[in-house]
Amino acid sequence: MKKYLLSQLWLTLILIIPSYCFATYIFPIENKIGAFAQFPFFYLLTAFLHYRLIKAKEKNPRQFVTSFMGTMGLKMFISLLAAVGFGLLFRDEVAFMLIHILVLYFVYSTFEIVLILKELKNKKSPIS
């Protein structure tokens, strides 16, 4: 889990640079706090759900696919609620906030799926 959190932290730090450039030069917004508040939100959400998936796999490997689908659905729903919340809080930059949260959702979800697939292939788990 520590290796996953460290990898996710590096991903977050790498994503901050293009996000800042995008918010400053390409699609300038005045209030960058909302955009950068999305990073800890997605970091914590993805870390918590990854932990939950690992525990579900250890508890009952045959139910992993069900847990995975449920976790991804929960992540999508929470992200949708966050998009609405950020949109309401930052009405002047609503277009940027929605695009930003959508991109972060896809990047963090892809990251999580790739690392879970690597873990499942490396451990030769009975999950098939």
Side-chain angles (χ1 to χ4, degrees), residues 60-104:
N60 187 357
R62 299 201 184 276
Q63 292 293 322
F64 178 76
V65 174
T66 306
S67 298
F68 177 77
M69 295 302 289
T71 300
M72 289 292 119
L74 180 64
K75 183 177 182 177
M76 187 184 325
F77 183 70
I78 291 172
S79 297
L80 176 65
L81 291 177
V84 170
F86 279 111
L88 290 174
L89 286 174
F90 302 98
R91 291 179 188 224
D92 294 338
E93 292 95 12
V94 69
F96 176 82
M97 292 298 163
L98 294 178
I99 291 169
H100 194 253
I101 206 163
L102 180 69
V103 168
L104 289 179

Side-chain angles (χ1 to χ4, degrees), residues 26-65:
I26 298 171
F27 195 0
I29 61 171
E30 289 183 26
N31 189 356
K32 293 177 182 62
I33 294 172
F36 292 107
Q38 293 174 3
F39 287 106
F41 168 76
F42 272 104
Y43 180 87
L44 295 173
L45 177 65
T46 305
F48 171 72
L49 294 178
H50 181 78
Y51 174 77
R52 192 170 156 204
L53 270 177
I54 297 300
K55 289 299 178 188
K57 183 185 83 159
E58 291 171 357
K59 185 177 178 184
N60 187 357
R62 299 201 184 276
Q63 292 293 322
F64 178 76
V65 174

Side-chain angles (χ1 to χ4, degrees), residues 5-17:
L5 290 176
L6 188 59
S7 299
Q8 189 179 356
L9 179 62
W10 278 110
L11 173 71
T12 302
L13 294 175
I14 290 168
L15 286 174
I16 287 174
I17 295 167

